Amino acid sequence: MKQRESLLKTIAIDFETANEEQGSACSIGLAWIEDGEIVRVEERLIRPKDMRFSPFNIAVHGIRPADVEDAPEFPDVMEEFIDDFHGATMIAHNAAFDFSVMRASFDKYRQSYPDLSYLCSVKIARHVWPQLASHKLNVIAHHLQLRFVHHNAAEDAVVCAAASIAAARALRVDHIRDMPEKIGMVAGRLTCAGYQTVSLKKTVGWRVS
């Protein structure tokens, strides 16, 4: 039973950062998907290692140094969820950003990556809803008539999850993890040995951390 749960585990993820550095995560949002439904949502504030917040990033997400002063740092937040991440299919809207934040944050603390695969809901949305002028998360939310507060990590994760569920239904696949084969996408991977980015090409290469 545990093996089946691991194979079917799907989690949408979103990070907010304190500044322009990818390793400056200050918030994470997560939404668990089971049987085409969002069954759990979590949000945690993260205390960045150097506590440098840029005015631009504060203007985007509204998180200030005082908000995270007593929050745990990245490794402690990850410890709570790391068992969920291992073996999961994860999905993010603009996965290149969110998983670069994850990698850079693990690198900053000299920790190994969890073993997981991941998808990009932007790339999926472009295939499923090509008629939309933009495939930003707020546009997708409006198209799907979803309530949405942009640049809140939990809200972003929930809309990413809902959009992924809608896309899977539109593609007539049983599970979100089945979408890449349907549209010619190669899922990204994280392992302790390195990473592979999401691609729409059939041949991809590995980058070693």
Side-chain angles (χ1 to χ4, degrees):
M1 182 67 176
K2 286 186 177 180
Q3 184 178 8
R4 181 178 180 274
E5 289 174 354
S6 176
L7 289 172
L8 296 178
K9 201 162 42 174
T10 306
I11 308 170
I13 185 169
D14 181 81
F15 282 104
E16 302 295 337
T17 57
N19 56 60
E20 73 284 352
E21 292 183 0
Q22 292 167 323
S24 66
C26 63
S27 177
I28 183 174
L30 300 162
W32 282 254
I33 304 166
E34 290 182 11
D35 299 323
E37 301 290 339
I38 298 169
V39 297
R40 177 185 173 191
V41 179
E42 300 285 354
E43 181 182 11
R44 298 289 184 273
L45 292 175
I46 302 170
R47 188 181 191 277
K49 198 169 188 178
D50 63 4
M51 283 295 284
R52 179 174 65 84
F53 279 70
S54 77
F56 175 83
N57 290 56
I58 291 173
V60 169
H61 52 57
I63 301 171
R64 298 176 179 275
D67 298 323
V68 301
E69 188 66 44
D70 297 323
E73 292 192 32
F74 183 83
D76 293 324
V77 174
M78 287 299 102
E79 185 176 359
E80 180 180 356
F81 302 115
I82 201 71
D83 288 341
D84 287 291
F85 292 169
H86 279 295
T89 296
M90 301 192 72
I91 187 160
H93 208 71
N94 188 11
F97 170 77
D98 291 288
F99 285 93
S100 69
V101 172
M102 180 180 277
R103 293 195 312 269
S105 298
F106 276 117
D107 291 346
K108 180 166 282 192
Y109 289 93
R110 300 179 182 274
Q111 292 189 322
S112 298
Y113 305 150
D115 190 345
L116 57 88
S117 62
Y118 67 92
L119 308 176
C120 178
S121 56
V122 171
K123 295 182 187 296
I124 292 168
R126 287 172 182 158
H127 182 93
V128 176
W129 301 294
Q131 75 278 13
L132 297 181
S134 167
H135 295 88
K136 292 181 179 180
L137 204 53
N138 60 321
V139 176
I140 299 296
H142 179 76
H143 177 68
L144 297 175
Q145 298 182 324
L146 301 172
R147 185 187 69 83
F148 184 39
V149 178
H150 204 6
H151 294 302
N152 170 277
E155 291 275 349
D156 285 8
V158 166
V159 173
C160 174
S164 301
I165 292 167
R169 289 173 179 161
L171 292 169
R172 298 182 181 179
V173 297
D174 294 331
H175 195 276
I176 286 169
R177 71 176 185 278
D178 299 325
M179 289 195 287
E181 184 177 356
K182 190 85 170 182
I183 65 174
M185 174 183 287
V186 178
R189 286 290 309 279
L190 285 186
T191 76
C192 61
Y195 68 97
Q196 172 183 297
T197 59
V198 175
S199 175
L200 292 175
K201 298 177 181 178
K202 294 299 182 182
T203 57
V204 294
W206 278 82
R207 302 179 186 181
V208 177
S209 61

